[in-house]
Amino acid sequence: MQELIRRRKRAGFVGRRDELAEFQRNFDVPVDDERHRFVFRVHGNAGVGKTFLVRELEQAALERGALTAYTDEGVDSVPEALGAISVRFARQGWPLKALDKILATYRQRRYEAEAAGAGSGPSAGAVVAAQAGLAGVGLVPGVGVLASTVDPVQLAEGAERLRAALSARLGRQEDVQLVLDPLRVLTPVFVEELGRVAAHVPWVVLFFDTYERTGAFLDGWLRDLVTTDRYGGLPANAVLTLSGQGRPDPLRWPAAADYVADLPLDPFTEEEARQLLASKGVLDEEVVRDVLRLSGRLPVLVSTLAGSRPATPGDIGDPSATAVERFLKWEPDPVRRSAALEGALPRRLDEDVFRAAVSGDAAGLFDWLRSLPFVRDQGGRIKYHDVVRAPMQRLQRTASPQRWRAGHERLAAWYAQERAAAGDGRWRDETWREPRLEELYHRLCADPAGAFGDVLRDGIEACRQGTVTARRWARVIAEAGEDANREPLRKWGAACLAALEAERRHGIDVLGMMLARPELTDEDRVAVHIARAWGYFRTEAYEESLADYRRALTLDASSADAYHGRAVAHRAVGDHAAALADLDRLEELEPGRPRAPRERGETHRRAGRYDEAVAELGRALALDPGDALILGSRGQAKAQLGCAAAALEDFDRALLIDPDYGWALVRRAHVRGLLGDTEDALADLDHAERLSPSWAWVLGERGDVYRFAGRYEEAVAAYGRALALDPGYAWALGSRAVALAELGRTTEALADLDRAVALVPGYVWAYQQRARLHRAQGREEAALADLARAAQAGTAQGIPRGPLPADEGDPAYPGVPPEPGPTPRP
């Protein structure tokens, strides 16, 4: 049925012959000919017929044997676009199985990471911050942007801390990388799969429509795909078509003239408009002139008016009427007129939504509606063209405000039922989130003033979930303001969208905008301050984070979440006393819950008070016996106390709960190595390396196990592999220096220690080892200088005086930043 409808629409396609011919000729030009173009850019104003042309281009590609895929604003990120492409390819008999598999893993791991942080753990917004830190500079396509106003060094450190948190949650380092930087993992798989299928078809043609909306996250990614080998090489028989409003920015795509063809679209010429009208049987000259006047020769309006087939001048009516009003006048069936108007209320339609939107006998007219020229398919749904939907909305709003309000209230209630049926996943669950967004849109249209407070409250959690979700939420406000003719609402939504595009801190600025809104209660403001404090914390802006927690507690001195968050922030800046005071208050507020003793034990451990840490973590464990992270942390505290057997018992219990708990495997291997159990230690490290082959810490620990066993050549090799993965791994440099010294390679050992203290100027143990080697070579003055540096650094910063920083590679508790990975801590 859908194919028949598409054929009928195509049968009426007129105009754009030059653009279509240029696209078709490109298939006749060899790919190594300089005239061949790999990218087409269709651009023009709304209603000019871009989507109709793109569909015609896709049909032309199919007729040349091409494998095609089409995406539009129905996707909100690069991973979603990849999923849409894969679905389209599979329908044509070319599934991308490897891509589907890793996309399914990405969705599951992202959900697990967000679900683990639902109460107090790393939010999706924190993941976005870490993605920015991992990217280093500029746009992270499809997920977020990095702020020039945020110190990239701090962001990188925050990313490493979140990486360790997710390592504890997800185990496999590949899964951590997939969550933190999905494009780096997903895109090479996509490119490889694209190359595989491209070898079996003449052409692979990808269409990206409504680029004015999707370009924000697609443009940088597509530019890298086409112009760099960052993700691998695209097949030469691939062609991309980008279609959107506005002229392309010539600065964004380097040397575009060499590989890009621009297809600018203007309104129909009079000849083209007359041709379309004639094909629809509209021949009366007076009617034709009226259609030309009303439509401005805009293709979507010419098609809409022609579809009603006005036959006589008497059908023209009021010369001041709009094109949409004329279309409705020319439709003789009142039930159809009503269906067309009421179908314009939802932002997008499927048959179920249509039945909820319309009244009376119109429920069975969905197939008629989808055949209309201003309606287009969108991933199994249909969507009105904006040029038609906006005046239809305006007609209903002005003609009968009560009927307008009732229609939106009816749709809001229907979406509320859909949301309730989706369960309680809330904002992290797409099946809950989508109906909630539509519910909020219709509530705002029905009662802007009454609904805005609830919409703001939803926005707090939407911002915590990351840029993609926050953008969808802000778009609801902007579009409801536009459709309901509430200019302040539209402007505020637009300002949120602009802030989300410009800011680099996953909703911090939007949360700040919320605080100025009078609709929020003090309880709401507490939630905003806590959410913003968490955002600041994740970008290492600790002072700003502490300030927001203070503001939250000023408004509500009994907020357990604020005390918890502030304790974590105090600990991050080394103020353990203040952290413990906040945790005492937290336990008064929520006695019997594991959060306070867990965090108290973690604070004691990081402060080097291992006896207290063991006691508190034991209390937490009594309240939550199944928490592998508490067991792992207590095991590490026991190891620091020299209680190797007890430490191993805790690590064993943790690994029974979670056999792929990578951090516990490595910590257990370290203790086993110290005890001389080299075989079991290496078995743990083998397991950890299978989970995380790119985790330099695992290789560094392997070097330690070899070194403890006196196998110095193998130790040097393992440290070298670790340093190949992470050249800034100062601890591995220091440890390799010890192994090199044992082999008599003193010059190389001193070079490693020089690099280690250059990377971490406060690395006490490295100074001590360098002093030892200087003294062995008779350089007493150099030895004394290094010992003085060690004493000064140790006194000033409290650096551990052992070869291994006490809490290296800490596990991450919900809401607790681990130490920054496998590097020494000042």
Side-chain angles (χ1 to χ4, degrees):
M1 179 185 66
Q2 293 167 339
E3 178 59 26
L4 288 171
I5 292 171
R6 280 192 289 268
R7 287 180 185 177
R8 291 171 187 172
K9 288 186 176 181
R10 287 194 64 239
F13 184 85
V14 299
R16 311 310 186 198
R17 296 302 172 189
D18 291 342
E19 292 84 359
L20 181 59
E22 182 176 350
F23 184 80
Q24 291 171 320
R25 282 195 302 268
N26 195 57
F27 294 120
D28 298 322
V29 180
V31 295
D32 56 356
D33 189 313
E34 290 185 356
R35 295 172 300 162
H36 182 81
R37 292 294 176 260
F38 297 100
V39 178
F40 284 82
R41 298 189 298 201
V42 178
H43 54 92
N45 293 331
V48 82
K50 298 183 295 296
T51 294
F52 276 98
L53 176 60
V54 166
R55 291 300 196 183
E56 195 69 15
L57 298 181
E58 183 178 18
Q59 186 61 34
L62 288 168
E63 290 169 358
R64 294 298 188 105
L67 180 64
T68 69
Y70 172 91
T71 71
D72 56 18
E73 78 272 24
V75 301
D76 272 297
S77 66
V78 172
E80 289 184 14
L82 291 175
I85 292 169
S86 183
V87 168
R88 293 294 290 267
F89 278 13
R91 289 176 182 170
Q92 296 166 75
W94 291 99
L96 306 181
K97 293 182 179 179
L99 179 63
D100 290 339
K101 182 178 180 181
I102 197 168
L103 278 170
T105 301
Y106 165 72
R107 296 180 189 113
Q108 178 63 27
R109 295 297 178 261
R110 174 126 187 158
Y111 178 83
E112 289 172 3
E114 293 171 4
S120 57
S123 66
V127 172
V128 174
Q131 289 164 337
L134 289 170
V137 293
L139 182 68
V140 181
V143 276
V145 286
L146 171 67
S148 58
T149 57
V150 177
D151 183 353
V153 174
Q154 291 182 338
L155 272 177
E157 292 172 355
E160 287 306 311
R161 296 185 177 193
L162 185 57
R163 183 190 295 278
L166 291 173
S167 294
R169 284 290 177 188
L170 303 179
R172 286 168 47 87
Q173 195 66 12
E174 291 87 344
D175 291 341
V176 175
Q177 181 74 7
L178 183 59
V179 170
L180 288 180
D181 196 3
L183 302 195
R184 186 178 298 180
V185 180
L186 296 174
T187 309
V189 178
F190 168 65
V191 171
E192 184 175 347
E193 286 280 79
L194 204 63
R196 178 180 61 81
V197 299
H200 300 281
V201 295
W203 300 95
V204 174
V205 188
L206 306 178
F207 296 89
F208 300 92
D209 202 2
T210 57
Y211 205 64
E212 68 275 6
R213 292 194 174 182
T214 61
F217 54 85
L218 285 179
D219 197 61
W221 175 69
L222 288 174
R223 185 178 65 244
D224 285 345
L225 270 179
V226 172
T227 64
T228 76
D229 58 1
R230 176 175 299 175
Y231 303 117
L234 284 180
N237 59 338
V239 177
L240 279 65
T241 298
L242 320 178
S243 174
Q245 298 178 22
R247 301 188 66 83
D249 183 349
L251 300 178
R252 294 187 65 84
W253 288 67
D258 295 335
Y259 56 89
V260 173
D262 281 313
L263 302 179
L265 298 187
D266 294 316
F268 274 161
T269 64
E270 183 171 331
E271 180 183 357
E272 289 171 330
R274 286 178 176 273
Q275 180 185 352
L276 176 58
L277 291 170
S279 71
K280 299 291 188 181
V282 180
L283 301 172
D284 184 276
E285 181 60 24
E286 192 171 353
V287 173
V288 168
R289 285 200 303 269
D290 195 45
V291 169
L292 294 177
R293 175 185 63 81
L294 284 167
S295 67
R297 304 196 309 277
L298 207 59
V300 67
L301 295 182
V302 175
S303 300
T304 298
L305 293 172
S308 298
R309 292 179 172 80
T312 67
D315 293 326
I316 297 174
D318 180 5
S320 67
T322 67
V324 169
E325 289 170 326
R326 188 59 47 80
F327 161 77
L328 294 170
K329 172 180 172 57
W330 287 339
E331 171 53 59
D333 186 339
V335 177
R336 286 185 171 185
R337 284 200 303 271
S338 175
L341 282 169
E342 291 176 323
L345 293 179
R347 296 196 297 173
R348 54 188 61 86
L349 281 166
D350 59 23
E351 190 162 3
D352 292 336
V353 178
F354 178 74
R355 289 179 180 276
V358 299
S359 55
D361 298 329
L365 292 175
F366 184 71
D367 292 338
W368 167 79
L369 186 70
R370 74 186 310 162
S371 70
L372 295 175
F374 56 79
V375 172
R376 60 185 175 89
D377 284 314
Q378 187 185 59
R381 300 175 177 178
I382 62 173
K383 188 177 188 299
Y384 280 40
H385 197 293
D386 290 343
V387 170
V388 172
R389 180 173 179 261
M392 283 194 174
Q393 292 250 41
R394 186 168 56 250
L395 269 177
Q396 295 177 86
R397 191 181 65 244
T398 56
S400 176
Q402 288 186 350
R403 191 161 58 244
W404 157 271
R405 178 169 181 157
H408 282 291
E409 287 176 342
R410 184 168 62 249
L411 282 161
W414 185 84
Y415 276 114
Q417 292 177 350
E418 292 293 296
R419 170 177 55 83
D424 58 355
R426 296 193 62 77
W427 282 96
R428 67 179 181 271
D429 183 354
E430 176 65 24
T431 61
W432 186 97
R433 183 168 59 235
E434 183 176 351
R436 179 58 172 172
L437 287 169
E438 300 310 313
E439 177 189 355
L440 294 177
Y441 166 80
H442 290 293
R443 287 184 60 193
L444 280 172
C445 287
D447 182 12
F452 190 49
D454 287 341
V455 173
L456 287 175
R457 280 181 276 278
D458 274 59
I460 301 170
E461 185 58 29
C463 287
R464 287 177 64 93
Q465 290 301 316
T467 303
V468 171
T469 300
R471 189 188 297 126
R472 290 175 178 174
W473 167 82
R475 193 177 294 144
V476 161
I477 299 173
E479 292 183 5
E482 178 75 28
D483 295 341
N485 195 31
R486 294 294 190 271
E487 185 64 8
L489 192 66
R490 186 199 66 77
K491 285 185 175 179
W492 202 84
C496 289
L497 285 170
L500 289 165
E501 294 302 331
E503 76 170 40
R504 282 75 169 171
R505 298 179 294 175
H506 58 87
I508 288 175
D509 292 346
V510 173
L511 289 165
M513 293 167 60
M514 289 185 195
L515 290 170
R517 298 299 312 187
E519 294 87 354
L520 294 184
T521 65
D522 283 349
E523 182 180 356
D524 298 329
R525 295 179 197 284
V526 170
V528 173
H529 281 301
I530 291 173
R532 191 171 68 168
W534 185 250
Y536 279 130
F537 178 87
R538 285 302 186 183
T539 59
E540 305 284 299
Y542 296 129
E543 292 304 320
E544 290 87 344
S545 177
L546 287 166
D548 258 331
Y549 283 126
R550 284 194 295 269
R551 294 184 186 104
L553 289 167
T554 299
L555 291 168
D556 180 5
S558 62
S559 171
D561 287 340
Y563 279 111
H564 171 243
R566 191 170 71 170
V568 172
H570 278 312
R571 185 172 62 216
V573 298
D575 191 348
H576 297 121
L580 291 170
D582 279 345
L583 292 172
D584 290 343
R585 178 60 177 144
L586 174 63
E587 191 157 21
E588 292 174 5
L589 292 168
E590 50 178 38
R593 290 189 61 190
R595 186 162 60 165
R598 181 191 67 200
E599 303 291 10
R600 190 181 291 112
E602 184 70 5
T603 302
H604 284 312
R605 186 172 71 83
R606 297 194 190 193
R609 297 191 288 268
Y610 300 113
D611 285 316
E612 293 94 328
V614 169
E616 283 298 317
L617 291 167
R619 288 184 58 222
L621 200 60
L623 295 167
D624 189 0
D627 192 326
L629 300 178
I630 297 176
L631 283 163
S633 185
R634 190 175 71 170
Q636 176 65 3
K638 288 177 178 178
Q640 293 295 326
L641 289 170
C643 303
L648 287 176
E649 183 180 345
D650 275 350
F651 290 138
D652 289 345
R653 288 177 59 191
L655 288 163
L656 280 174
I657 296 169
D658 182 1
D660 289 337
Y661 183 3
W663 183 88
L665 282 166
V666 179
R667 297 315 311 145
R668 185 171 71 176
H670 186 82
V671 175
R672 284 175 163 174
L674 287 171
L675 294 174
D677 186 1
T678 303
E679 183 178 352
D680 285 339
L682 291 174
D684 277 345
L685 293 171
D686 289 342
H687 186 178
E689 193 169 356
R690 284 193 298 272
L691 293 171
S692 308
S694 60
W695 202 1
W697 182 41
V698 177
L699 296 171
E701 287 290 350
R702 185 179 296 278
D704 259 7
V705 171
Y706 286 134
R707 182 164 60 86
F708 298 155
R711 295 159 62 173
Y712 299 116
E713 291 286 2
E714 291 168 285
V716 169
Y719 293 132
R721 289 173 59 203
L723 288 162
L725 289 172
D726 182 2
Y729 193 173
W731 170 74
L733 286 165
S735 296
R736 187 172 69 173
V738 175
L740 287 167
E742 292 291 341
L743 292 169
R745 296 157 63 177
T746 306
T747 301
E748 294 173 71
L750 285 169
D752 274 353
L753 291 168
D754 290 344
R755 286 176 59 195
V757 297
L759 287 166
V760 182
Y763 195 174
V764 172
W765 183 81
Y767 286 131
Q768 293 170 340
Q769 294 305 307
R770 194 168 66 175
R772 181 176 63 84
L773 293 179
H774 282 316
R775 181 165 284 162
Q777 292 189 328
R779 293 195 292 271
E780 186 65 22
E781 186 175 344
L784 291 173
D786 269 343
L787 290 172
R789 293 186 186 100
Q792 181 181 8
T795 301
Q797 301 182 26
I799 294 176
R801 293 179 177 272
L804 176 66
D807 295 322
E808 181 178 11
D810 271 356
Y813 288 104
V816 178
E819 273 76 298
T823 54
R825 283 187 300 123

